[in-house]
Amino acid sequence: MSTAVKELPACPVETTLTLISDKWKVLILRDLMPGTKRFGELKKSIGKVSQKVLTAQLREMEDSGLLTRTVYAEVPPRVEYSLTELGRSLKPVLDAMWNWGEAYKAKNEQ
């Protein structure tokens, strides 16, 4: 893990929120769970995020050890993003969010 990570909070919930608190980070995790994606694929699948914000979020997630960035020496350059083991370990958290969201939607559509 990078030394760029600040001192983490004592509360485990707050620690998790510190790492994935941004809406875009959760969507990046969701979109990388199935496998590796290129920047353009992520931008398209996430939606209304700007290139600048997506780049910043990806860098923060790389610094915190949630994903890896691989640059291929090609013309044009190809950059791919993949979740690390630490990033993939957030799958149960995303699954719980999915299930809760589905239940909430079902309850409110009645």
Side-chain angles (χ1 to χ4, degrees):
M1 195 178 289
S2 171
T3 56
V5 175
K6 300 175 198 149
E7 185 175 321
L8 295 172
C11 173
V13 173
E14 192 175 349
T15 298
T16 305
L17 286 174
T18 299
L19 294 173
I20 64 168
S21 62
D22 189 280
K23 167 179 141 178
W24 305 120
K25 288 180 182 175
V26 174
L27 297 180
I28 291 166
L29 286 168
R30 175 201 68 190
D31 290 351
L32 288 177
M33 278 298 165
T36 300
K37 282 198 169 38
R38 293 174 72 170
F39 184 88
E41 293 173 308
L42 281 171
K43 187 168 183 335
K44 186 175 182 179
S45 67
I46 290 171
K48 299 183 181 193
V49 64
S50 72
Q51 184 168 331
K52 179 181 177 181
V53 169
L54 181 56
T55 299
Q57 297 298 292
L58 289 166
R59 285 184 183 152
E60 286 179 21
M61 293 174 75
E62 184 180 16
D63 287 345
S64 62
L66 297 176
L67 60 81
T68 58
R69 176 179 185 263
T70 305
V71 180
Y72 295 90
E74 300 174 351
V75 176
R78 178 170 49 116
V79 179
E80 293 182 341
Y81 296 90
S82 302
L83 292 179
T84 61
E85 189 175 326
L86 180 64
R88 284 189 302 276
S89 73
L90 286 163
K91 185 170 181 355
V93 175
L94 293 183
D95 289 345
M97 291 172 74
W98 176 279
N99 293 334
W100 188 91
E102 285 288 316
Y104 180 83
K105 283 172 40 179
K107 180 180 176 186
N108 287 295
E109 290 174 352
Q110 296 175 357

